[in-house]
């Protein structure tokens, strides 16, 4: 993109779409295309059509539909001589959304020039020029040398150049052009305590990615009981979180025990311990402080273990977030200070009730109703999910609809709450329609009929 921006200056539009498997709930085709439209306005002024569309939906407290965004995008593209759109990691976009996204972007041609990056399992775009990118041997060699130098244990064991060369050549061969496999193999080799043991590990390296994951999990399970439990909790949180989480958020989540009334500082696990016990399956971005799985395939592999390893993970995350939100005094300092002092607050408010949706909701109903019954807690949730609407606030019925909590909503309705009360986005039925919760909308409409009889 930097190259394009320098090479083309006048009457050119630029946009980048970053697909992320952790943000599938918000990365809908409508939102992604809206993002493209927003980036085009970095080079031009807002048109009357855009302001009209904004005013229309601001007044109705609704959001534009895909057809509206698509039509507007096609009209605005005519204001440029050409546009360049880069879609990165298309394979991380849900399969049902990929074809729709590409169809809308290709409709912008011939003015639109598209570049798409993806793993090979995604079907190539018909008529497109394709370039296969694999790791060169020289690149892998430099990468492995850097890993040797960065590991004091490997650096000490591989003092002889012949040993270093033998290990490097084997890792390169087994990696088969994949940096991920090379990384996993180096992490495994770094557990060796002697040259003899390192040679045994070297002979056991595999060229199969799933087999490499299996061996890594075997290493995790062979740790001490405390390290093993911590590792699986970390992997559960990182793989099930609905967006990338920071180390501060993760440490607080791991420190909360059943019945806790606050996060105790001496219960916070050390970041380096968290990284070590997971045997290379998670990585820390030092720039953003975000903890991620080492690769998208790690997410796919762990998802296949949900039935055996993560049977109650959604319940654990939901319960932890709800317990956190129940802490006394949370939010008393004002939102900004509260977020600074309580790192997990934003995630717990935005996603705790999403994790509770479905089976966990039944078991956690009392906790949910208690939180929704407190005006201060509702206001805190409302602010953190980005709803600022003056005097209008979200009632228990609005919040239960907003988060799609069917069981909780049924209880609230049976308690007689006003189904027609207005909130920032209108009535509860309006919220259900906006959020796409059709069964909840039908439930509300049926109850509304009952109240009119």
């Amino acid at each position: 993109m930097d190259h394009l921006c320098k090479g083309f200056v006048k009457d050119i539009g630029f946009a980048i779409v970053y697909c992320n498997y952790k943000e599938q709930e918000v990365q809908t085709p409508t939102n992604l295309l809206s993002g493209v439209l927003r980036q085009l306005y970095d080079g031009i002024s807002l048109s009357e059509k855009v302001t009209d569309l904004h005013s229309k939906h601001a007044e109705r407290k609704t959001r534009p539909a895909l057809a509206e965004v698509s039509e507007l995008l096609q009209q605005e593209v005519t204001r440029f001589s050409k546009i360049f759109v880069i879609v990165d990691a298309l394979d991380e976009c849900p399969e049902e959304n990929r074809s729709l996204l590409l169809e809308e972007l290709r409709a912008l041609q011939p003015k639109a020039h598209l570049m798409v990056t993806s793993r090979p399992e995604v079907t190539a775009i018909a008529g497109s020029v394709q370039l296969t990118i694999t790791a060169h041997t020289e690149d892998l060699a430099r990468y492995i040398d850097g890993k040797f130098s960065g590991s004091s244990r490997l650096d000490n064991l591989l003092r002889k150049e012949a040993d270093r060369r033998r290990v490097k050549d084997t890792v390169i061969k087994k990696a088969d052009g994949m940096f991920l496999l090379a990384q996993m193999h180096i992490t495994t080799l770094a557990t060796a305590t002697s040259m003899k043991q390192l040679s045994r590990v070297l002979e056991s390296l595999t060229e199969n990615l799933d087999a490499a994951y299996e061996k890594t999990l075997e290493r995790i399970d062979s740790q001490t009981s405390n390290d093993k439990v911590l590792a699986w909790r970390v992997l559960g949180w990182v793989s099930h979180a609905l967006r990338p989480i920071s180390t501060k958020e993760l440490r607080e989540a791991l420190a909360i025990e059943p019945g806790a009334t606050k996060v105790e500082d001496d219960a916070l696990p050390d970041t380096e311990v968290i990284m070590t016990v997971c045997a290379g399956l998670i990585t820390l971005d030092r720039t953003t402080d975000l903890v991620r799985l080492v690769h998208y395939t790690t997410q796919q592999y762990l998802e296949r273990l949900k039935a055996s390893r993560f049977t109650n993970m959604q319940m654990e995350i939901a319960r932890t977030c709800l317990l956190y939100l129940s802490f006394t005094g949370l939010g008393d300092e004002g939102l900004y200070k509260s977020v600074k002092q309580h790192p997990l607050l934003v995630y717990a408010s935005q996603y705790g009730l999403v994790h509770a949706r479905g089976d966990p909701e039944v078991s956690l109903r009392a906790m949910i109703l208690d939180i929704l019954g407190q005006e201060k807690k509702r206001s805190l949730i409302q602010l953190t999910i980005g709803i600022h609407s003056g005097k209008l606030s979200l009632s228990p019925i609005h919040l239960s609809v907003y988060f799609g909590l069917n069981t909780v909503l049924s209880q609230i309705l049976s308690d007689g709450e006003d189904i027609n009360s207005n909130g920032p986005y209108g009535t509860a039925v309006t919220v259900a329609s906006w959020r796409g919760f059709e069964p909840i909308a039908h439930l509300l409409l049926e109850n509304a009929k009952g109240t009119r009889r």
Side-chain angles (χ1 to χ4, degrees):
M1 183 56 76
D2 288 340
H3 172 74
L4 290 172
C5 289
K6 291 175 183 176
F8 300 91
V9 180
K10 197 174 182 181
D11 300 327
I12 306 296
F14 303 97
I16 303 178
V17 176
Y18 294 103
C19 299
N20 188 328
Y21 67 90
K22 277 292 181 186
E23 299 181 355
Q24 294 182 5
E25 188 166 310
V26 296
Q27 288 195 334
T28 62
T30 304
N31 288 346
L32 292 175
L33 289 172
S34 297
V36 171
L37 188 61
R38 166 62 187 86
Q39 292 175 72
L40 294 181
Y41 292 127
D42 288 340
I44 58 174
S45 59
L46 294 178
S47 69
E48 187 177 335
K49 294 171 183 175
V50 175
T51 55
D52 286 347
L53 184 63
H54 176 268
S55 298
K56 168 187 169 184
H57 286 281
E59 184 179 343
R60 297 178 180 178
K61 297 186 176 75
T62 56
R63 295 188 179 186
L66 176 61
E68 292 176 298
V69 175
S70 176
E71 181 182 357
L72 183 58
L73 189 54
Q74 291 185 44
Q75 292 171 347
E76 295 301 283
V77 163
T78 62
R79 300 173 66 186
F80 298 90
S81 59
K82 65 178 68 176
I83 67 169
F84 294 95
V85 180
I86 298 174
V87 180
D88 185 46
L90 181 64
D91 53 289
E92 297 195 25
C93 180
E95 191 171 349
E96 61 271 19
N97 291 341
R98 287 178 203 156
S99 57
L100 184 55
L101 174 63
L102 289 176
E103 180 183 335
E104 293 292 342
L105 290 175
R106 294 187 74 181
L108 305 177
Q109 294 174 325
K111 285 204 172 184
H113 299 261
L114 306 180
M115 175 180 174
V116 178
T117 68
S118 173
R119 290 190 296 144
E121 44 265 49
V122 173
T123 304
I125 302 171
S128 63
V129 177
Q130 298 173 47
L131 177 64
T132 301
I133 300 174
T134 56
H136 292 289
T137 300
E138 297 80 6
D139 295 331
L140 279 170
R142 281 193 292 270
Y143 174 76
I144 293 167
D145 281 334
K147 289 294 184 180
F148 285 164
S149 301
S151 169
S152 57
R153 184 177 296 193
L154 287 175
D155 208 30
N156 288 331
L157 287 174
L158 300 173
R159 290 175 182 170
K160 294 180 181 179
E161 184 57 35
D163 289 335
R164 188 172 288 247
R165 169 56 62 185
R166 177 170 62 93
V167 171
K168 183 162 62 174
D169 288 348
T170 303
V171 172
I172 289 173
K173 180 182 178 182
K174 296 291 185 180
D176 193 26
M178 289 184 61
F179 275 102
L180 174 61
L181 262 179
Q183 178 180 339
M184 294 178 72
H185 290 334
I186 293 296
T187 302
T188 303
L189 290 167
T191 62
T193 57
S194 66
M195 195 59 213
K196 184 175 182 179
Q197 190 179 42
L198 189 146
S199 295
R200 283 203 204 102
V201 174
L202 191 65
E203 290 175 6
S204 70
L205 296 183
T206 176
E207 297 175 13
N208 181 277
L209 188 57
D210 278 359
Y213 280 131
E214 289 172 13
K215 285 183 175 293
T216 301
L217 296 187
E218 287 173 6
R219 289 212 326 275
I220 289 175
D221 285 338
S222 68
Q223 299 177 113
T224 64
S225 176
N226 287 341
D227 285 356
K228 174 183 172 181
V229 169
L230 177 61
W232 282 107
R233 288 190 69 202
V234 171
L235 292 175
W237 266 91
V238 177
S239 64
H240 286 71
L242 297 173
R243 65 153 169 79
I245 55 177
S246 69
T247 56
K248 291 179 180 178
E249 289 174 321
L250 180 59
R251 292 177 70 212
E252 282 212 323
L254 296 171
I256 297 174
E257 299 175 349
T261 56
K262 65 177 182 178
V263 176
E264 299 179 15
D265 289 342
D266 58 2
L268 295 169
D270 181 75
T271 302
E272 293 306 317
V273 173
I274 290 174
M275 302 301 294
T276 301
V277 298
C278 291
L281 292 185
I282 62 170
T283 182
L284 171 61
D285 186 331
R286 301 284 179 182
T287 304
T288 61
D289 192 44
L290 293 177
V291 182
R292 305 176 189 269
L293 294 174
V294 70
H295 196 260
Y296 181 42
T297 57
T298 317
Q299 177 78 28
Q300 293 179 320
Y301 184 81
L302 293 178
E303 283 179 356
R304 299 205 298 268
L305 302 180
K306 279 187 177 181
S308 58
R309 295 282 195 168
F310 302 113
T311 51
N312 294 312
M313 202 64 226
Q314 291 289 4
M315 175 76 79
E316 180 181 334
I317 294 176
R319 182 185 285 114
T320 298
C321 289
L322 292 171
L323 188 57
Y324 194 91
L325 290 173
S326 72
F327 289 169
T328 302
L330 201 64
D332 288 351
E333 314 92 334
L335 183 62
Y336 178 77
K337 284 187 177 179
S338 293
V339 170
K340 296 285 284 184
Q341 295 176 15
H342 308 284
L344 191 59
L345 174 59
V346 172
Y347 188 90
S349 298
Q350 292 179 344
Y351 297 104
L353 291 171
V354 179
H355 285 289
R357 190 186 300 158
D359 291 339
E361 180 187 352
V362 177
S363 300
L364 301 174
R365 181 171 57 179
M367 288 183 73
I368 297 171
L369 288 169
D370 180 59
I371 288 171
L372 297 187
Q374 300 177 53
E375 185 177 356
K376 184 185 290 186
K377 302 297 184 184
R378 294 199 306 273
S379 298
L380 193 60
I381 293 172
Q382 179 172 331
L383 287 172
T384 52
I385 61 179
I387 299 178
H388 306 274
S389 189
K391 295 180 181 179
L392 287 175
S393 60
L394 291 172
S395 67
I397 193 171
H398 288 107
L399 274 175
S400 62
V401 171
Y402 180 91
F403 287 107
L405 303 173
N406 210 323
T407 300
V408 170
L409 174 62
S410 297
Q411 179 67 54
I412 292 173
L413 291 174
S414 69
D415 291 341
E417 184 172 332
D418 183 6
I419 195 171
N420 296 311
S421 63
N422 267 313
Y425 290 117
T427 65
V429 174
T430 305
V431 176
S433 302
W434 165 50
R435 296 283 285 170
F437 296 133
E438 187 175 341
I440 286 181
H442 284 304
L443 175 64
L444 290 167
L445 290 170
E446 286 300 316
N447 274 268
K449 289 178 184 177
T451 59
R452 288 197 294 267
R453 289 187 184 132

